[in-house]
Amino acid sequence: MGLKPTEEELAELLSEGLDLCVRAKKLDDDVSRAVAVGTPEGQEGTRCLTPALWVLDQYDTDLSDWQARARNTLTKWMAYR
């Protein structure tokens, strides 16, 4: 099944998970700023949502990566309990 995860590895995963929680709480503000970046000055109603979609996609990618690593690490940890 692999090597037993160290306390440092578990602490790192917990830290990353908490960082993702903080990012999730700030996500609305980040998306609003990205929408503002995609809104050209003086052109009301014209918006490019690419920056906002990138912010959301990056968060989803990071969250999925963390979930997979956390699941793998915790599965290994449970095997050694």
Side-chain angles (χ1 to χ4, degrees):
M1 176 112 237
L3 299 176
K4 180 179 179 182
T6 65
E7 287 182 17
E8 291 80 20
E9 289 172 313
L10 294 171
E12 180 66 28
L13 277 174
L14 179 59
S15 176
E16 287 179 41
L18 293 172
D19 289 344
L20 285 165
C21 289
V22 170
R23 276 178 63 190
K25 287 185 175 189
K26 293 177 21 184
L27 206 51
D28 287 340
D29 292 337
D30 292 344
V31 169
S32 293
R33 279 194 298 278
V35 167
V37 166
T39 304
E41 223 175 284
Q43 294 183 20
E44 277 185 48
T46 302
R47 292 195 173 116
C48 174
L49 294 179
T50 300
L53 292 174
W54 184 88
V55 168
L56 291 170
D57 184 61
Q58 190 60 52
Y59 177 79
D60 287 342
T61 298
D62 293 346
L63 179 61
S64 294
D65 174 62
W66 177 82
Q67 287 173 325
R69 289 183 296 112
R71 184 175 17 262
N72 184 41
T73 300
L74 292 175
T75 299
K76 288 178 185 177
W77 182 74
M78 290 298 288
Y80 282 94
R81 284 193 62 198

